[in-house]
Amino acid sequence: MKKRVGIVLACVMSFAIVISGCGSSSDGTTEFAVGKNAAPEEAGGVYDNAAAEVAEESADYSGGAGEQAQTVTDTSRKLITTVNISAESENLDDTISKLTSKVTELGGYIENSNVYNGSRYSSGQTVRTADYTIRIPADKLDGFIETIENASNITSKSSNVEDVTLSYVDLESKKNALRAEEKSLLGILESAEKIEDILAVQEKLADVRYQLESIESQLRTYDNKVDYSTVYLNIEEVVTYTPTEEKGAFARMGEGFVKSLKSIGHGFKEFFIWFVIHIPQLVLLGIVVFVIVFIVKKSQKKSAAKREAFMRQIGTPENTPPVNTTNEKPEGKDGQ
């Protein structure tokens, strides 16, 4: 900024020297040639003088930031609202249908959705869940939340409001400054004749327009988030809703006993279903076991028959007395 002010002061002093050398008119205005009728020295300084004018305008804008802030058309509060909701549903498909219809009715849209059929197993049943990212017009957010409350059982809810007013106004001010600079550069481009001056102005103009596009993109993002609140919704399908109030001891024991009986009944039912479903595999497994047992028994009988035959072949004849394998002497007259 100091550099720009220095350039402006230098240009003003140059103009004063030129005016004092060439003379001034009676009404205090000075005329100089620009274009084809200008002298070579004067034509060469067109871009420098115009650039100084742009610098002067930028300096004046920066010095009067408060004045420019007043030109911002929309000074209302810019609030971004985000809501997180976890809910339960006894009929997930019906709840989803009601909510999607309500979103369309309110003029919102579903930004992201994920439905998990049987994502996990809990308390003897398969649990289905759904996750949604929903964008709802900010002025209709309360009505949509009321619809969720009527269509499901909300277990948790939190909201966050972010005030981006200052950031928004700052971006608007920068946008206005860049628009003014772009206008001045276009005027310089029309009056410049030298190729190097034209290229320099075009390069500066391209940079200004790039910054303008970036700022306008940020403003559009802010506008979308402000105009449409974001709702992160998680719905879980359950058999019975989670009680909102804690029950007494006897009530809890009674409910627990009933749940245990239901769990046992559910276990028998699941076993019967499993048994019926796997009858073909069980029959095949029984046949395989029967064949294996039959082969093993038959093999054992053959082994026993071979062993008996072998023993007969090596057995002692009946008329041959058994051989005394001990060292005891026989009793009798000779053995006395």
Side-chain angles (χ1 to χ4, degrees):
M1 187 61 65
K2 292 181 178 180
K3 183 177 180 181
R4 291 183 175 180
V5 174
I7 294 175
V8 173
L9 293 175
C11 292
V12 172
M13 293 177 65
S14 300
F15 275 120
I17 295 173
V18 172
I19 291 171
S20 61
C22 299
S24 58
S25 60
S26 59
D27 57 356
T29 59
T30 304
E31 297 179 357
F32 60 95
V34 178
K36 294 182 180 180
N37 297 327
E41 295 80 2
E42 294 174 348
V46 170
Y47 174 73
D48 295 334
N49 295 334
E53 292 175 3
V54 174
E56 184 177 359
E57 290 180 2
S58 300
D60 293 340
Y61 177 82
S62 300
E67 181 181 354
Q68 288 293 338
Q70 295 177 358
T71 64
V72 177
T73 56
D74 187 9
T75 57
S76 61
R77 308 302 295 177
K78 300 295 181 180
L79 305 177
I80 299 176
T81 304
T82 304
V83 181
N84 292 274
I85 297 177
S86 296
E88 295 175 335
S89 172
E90 295 178 343
N91 189 329
L92 185 62
D93 296 329
D94 182 61
T95 301
I96 290 175
S97 177
K98 290 180 180 179
L99 293 180
T100 52
S101 298
K102 192 64 175 179
V103 170
T104 304
E105 178 185 339
L106 295 176
Y109 62 94
I110 297 176
E111 191 173 69
N112 185 35
S113 65
N114 290 293
V115 179
Y116 304 93
N117 291 315
S119 57
R120 60 188 179 87
Y121 196 81
S122 174
S123 301
Q125 65 174 346
T126 302
V127 179
R128 300 173 62 210
T129 60
D131 293 313
Y132 284 90
T133 302
I134 304 172
R135 306 298 304 281
I136 296 293
D139 57 341
K140 299 178 181 178
L141 178 62
D142 294 337
F144 180 68
I145 294 177
E146 183 178 352
T147 301
I148 298 176
E149 292 175 348
N150 295 332
S152 62
N153 178 44
I154 295 180
T155 56
S156 67
K157 180 176 67 174
S158 64
S159 62
N160 178 63
V161 178
E162 180 183 3
D163 190 348
V164 295
T165 306
L166 295 178
S167 299
Y168 193 92
V169 171
D170 183 58
L171 287 174
E172 281 281 10
S173 299
K174 292 179 180 178
K175 174 184 173 182
N176 292 338
L178 290 171
R179 286 294 185 194
E181 188 173 359
E182 180 187 31
K183 183 178 179 180
S184 298
L185 289 171
L186 289 174
I188 295 171
L189 189 62
E190 291 180 359
S191 60
E193 289 187 347
K194 289 187 176 182
I195 294 180
E196 56 268 22
D197 293 343
I198 295 174
L199 293 177
V201 174
Q202 288 179 342
E203 181 180 358
K204 180 62 177 176
L205 187 61
D207 180 64
V208 169
R209 286 176 173 172
Y210 174 79
Q211 295 181 55
L212 270 173
E213 290 176 0
S214 176
I215 289 177
E216 289 175 348
S217 176
Q218 295 179 58
L219 290 173
R220 285 193 297 269
T221 301
Y222 274 142
D223 288 335
N224 180 265
K225 291 183 177 181
V226 169
D227 295 339
Y228 288 84
S229 299
T230 303
V231 179
Y232 296 102
L233 176 63
N234 173 264
I235 307 175
E236 180 178 334
E237 189 175 46
V238 296
V239 177
T240 57
Y241 286 152
T242 301
T244 56
E245 297 180 358
E246 187 176 357
K247 297 182 178 181
F250 288 102
R252 292 170 59 189
M253 286 188 289
E255 289 184 357
F257 182 76
V258 172
K259 286 183 179 179
S260 297
L261 291 179
K262 288 182 178 180
S263 178
I264 294 173
H266 182 78
F268 280 113
K269 183 181 71 173
E270 290 295 325
F271 174 76
F272 180 74
I273 294 173
W274 177 88
F275 180 80
V276 173
I277 292 174
H278 294 85
I279 283 178
Q281 291 91 330
L282 294 174
V283 171
L284 180 62
L285 180 62
I287 293 173
V288 171
V289 172
F290 175 78
V291 171
I292 293 174
V293 172
F294 177 78
I295 293 174
V296 170
K297 287 185 176 181
K298 190 173 182 180
S299 176
Q300 289 177 349
K301 288 181 179 180
K302 287 183 178 181
S303 299
K306 288 181 180 180
R307 190 181 302 107
E308 185 178 354
F310 178 75
M311 293 300 294
R312 288 176 180 177
Q313 290 178 0
I314 65 173
T316 305
E318 294 180 358
N319 54 359
T320 304
V323 179
N324 187 10
T325 58
T326 65
N327 292 328
E328 297 181 356
K329 294 181 179 180
E331 295 180 359
K333 293 180 181 182
D334 298 333
Q336 292 179 353

